[in-house]
Amino acid sequence: MSDHEAATRTAEAFHAVYGAAPAGVWAAPGRVNLIGEHTDYNDGFVMPLALPHTTVAAASARPDGVLRLHSGGADGGVVELVIDDLRPGPVATAGWAAYPAGILWAMREAGLPVGGADLHYESTVPTGAGLSSSAALEVVTALALNDLYGLGLDLQRLARLAQRAENAFVGVPCGIMDQTAAACCTDGHALFLDTRDLTRRQVPFDLAGEGLRLLVVDTCVKHELGDGAYAARRAGCERGARALGVRALRDVPYAHLPEALDRLADDPVVRGLVRHIVTENHRVEEVIARLDAGETRAIGPLLTAGHASLRDDFRISCAELDLAVDTAVAAGAVGARMTGGGFGGSAVVLVEEGDEKAVTTAVTDAFEAAGFVPPRVFTAVPSAGARRLV
Ligand code: ADP
Ligand code: MG
């Protein structure tokens, strides 16, 4: 669907819900992370790219301090909230509306002059697939409010407000990667982000020009383990940093990894976490070096090594993700890895142009033979970040 079609469709749906045309229409994309997993809460490096899939918001300001929210992708009709009553924590708005309500709350908490609004959303980002539909929803809301109220904030600031909303209002302790990807990615590039100082660089990721394709395999599973495991990994990384006397694991140089691991000899769990984070940051730097040299194909083995590290050291893979990666590589993929939080969600698979079908069939057949839910496979094209459509 083109931006124009998406904008028209969303504006029409807004009109049907609220009985008037919207003041504007905005979009923010889902993302996949090419490399740099679980590094974003260790002050480390990440490298996401935006998908062509977007969450589109049609919106108008309201003068009366009321926030009305409606999504074509959610049941339950229009959610109506009084912005003065928005509070984070246990009494926070329940369900999907917490994400956009959290944006308004975070803006007001930061002292920004925002008021009420009517918003309607349409989305092509699969939810809960590790493709960050939550950040797309947050960032498109932040951008719409930014424009409606003339706040003049830049995209990075909007991303930080979105992270604040998800952490403090929704209650998900995520890092800054997803929101930055949704806000700041550009067409044809992967986004290098240093999550300590938020410096970023658009790294050319010319798949088509190199005769390559990037597939996303959505395993369509999300194992219960996920939420508690995220908190446990995060706490384990903090424990590792304390034990090594550094501010964050980002501060353990790759060259000093062997001695760091020696010092953690009596804590094998933390040892694995540290080894993953330190080698993963190094892999991000290696991937950038390859892409800068125009050697896109050469990132394949780094992706696959990253998967092994997430599986064996960080221990957040699952049978479906392992099968997707192993089967894809055996079927001739250049490289493959799980992407996102883990315990389900999606894998990324780098393939030679022309091999998409064979690799997709191999993975689908393997899932069927294993008795797994059929995966959903699509091609990822590095796409634009958040933008105003109308
Ligand atoms: P992910 O971000 O990987 O897709 P999350 O669990 O972080 O998974 O976020 C998914 C949640 O975000 C959904 O359960 C829903 O509450 C909310 N959400 C995302 N997109 C939409 C949408 N277009 N409409 C309504 N809710 C949405
Ligand atoms: Mg999310």
Side-chain angles (χ1 to χ4, degrees):
M1 201 189 327
S2 71
D3 274 2
H4 179 72
E5 283 170 313
T8 306
R9 185 183 294 201
T10 309
E12 282 170 5
F14 179 100
H15 199 289
V17 173
Y18 297 115
V25 184
W26 295 261
R31 63 98 187 94
V32 285
N33 191 21
L34 184 63
I35 188 87
E37 212 64 79
H38 284 262
T39 47
D40 71 341
Y41 52 84
N42 290 288
D43 281 3
F45 307 140
V46 297
M47 218 173 158
L49 52 106
L51 296 171
H53 307 66
T54 55
T55 297
V56 179
S60 294
R62 293 174 60 98
D64 60 356
V66 169
L67 177 65
R68 292 197 294 178
L69 303 165
H70 187 261
S71 171
D75 302 329
V78 176
V79 178
E80 189 166 326
L81 302 160
V82 175
I83 64 174
D84 280 340
D85 295 344
L86 295 175
R87 302 273 183 283
V91 290
T93 317
W96 74 271
Y99 295 90
I103 297 295
L104 212 135
W105 170 83
M107 286 178 159
R108 282 163 55 91
E109 184 205 36
L112 296 162
V114 281
D118 286 338
L119 290 120
H120 171 79
Y121 303 91
E122 295 287 337
S123 183
T124 55
V125 186
T127 54
L131 304 175
S132 225
S133 68
S134 60
L137 178 59
E138 290 155 9
V139 168
V140 77
T141 304
L143 187 60
L145 291 171
N146 184 54
D147 285 358
L148 289 173
Y149 282 96
L151 303 179
L153 305 177
D154 64 23
L155 289 165
Q156 184 66 69
R157 179 81 199 284
L158 295 177
R160 289 215 306 279
L161 285 165
Q163 184 201 14
R164 171 87 187 131
E166 186 153 346
N167 289 170
F169 196 88
V170 184
V172 179
C174 59
I176 188 66
M177 171 172 70
D178 296 347
Q179 292 80 10
T180 307
C184 302
C185 280
T186 57
D187 238 346
H189 295 84
L191 177 71
F192 167 72
L193 175 71
D194 179 335
T195 63
R196 168 161 285 165
D197 62 10
L198 300 186
T199 49
R200 53 183 204 268
R201 180 157 83 83
Q202 305 292 343
V203 181
F205 190 40
D206 180 17
L207 289 162
E210 301 281 327
L212 293 165
R213 294 286 183 273
L214 190 70
L215 304 178
V216 176
V217 179
D218 174 5
T219 64
C220 301
V221 297
K222 184 84 203 148
H223 294 290
E224 284 297 314
L225 210 54
D227 293 346
Y230 182 90
R233 298 305 182 282
R234 219 177 147 135
C237 288
E238 282 162 17
R239 216 156 67 232
R242 269 199 307 278
L244 295 169
V246 290
R247 183 172 143 202
L249 292 182
R250 166 327 172 19
D251 297 308
V252 180
Y254 182 67
H256 296 178
L257 180 60
E259 61 209 61
L261 295 178
D262 281 349
R263 288 175 62 187
L264 298 168
D266 55 359
D267 193 341
V269 172
V270 168
R271 203 167 177 272
L273 300 181
V274 169
R275 185 160 55 199
H276 168 72
I277 296 300
V278 176
T279 58
E280 185 79 349
N281 279 327
H282 184 64
R283 278 186 289 273
V284 174
E285 294 184 301
E286 295 276 299
V287 164
I288 293 171
R290 303 291 191 288
L291 292 181
D292 280 340
E295 297 165 0
T296 307
R297 215 164 253 98
I299 74 170
L302 293 162
L303 302 184
T304 309
H307 183 78
S309 179
L310 288 162
R311 180 190 63 210
D312 302 335
D313 280 340
F314 218 68
R315 300 163 60 86
I316 54 165
S317 190
C318 63
E320 292 87 349
L321 288 167
D322 289 343
L323 186 63
V325 167
D326 293 347
T327 309
V329 171
V334 180
R337 61 181 286 274
M338 56 155 283
T339 182
F343 302 105
S346 300
V348 285
V349 179
L350 187 66
V351 297
E352 299 288 349
E353 184 186 335
D355 285 356
E356 301 97 307
K357 234 188 156 138
V359 171
T360 301
T361 304
V363 171
T364 307
D365 289 352
F367 269 55
E368 192 179 348
F372 294 158
V373 182
R376 229 173 54 85
V377 185
F378 63 89
T379 303
V381 180
S383 299
R387 57 208 182 265
R388 185 170 191 157
L389 302 183
V390 176

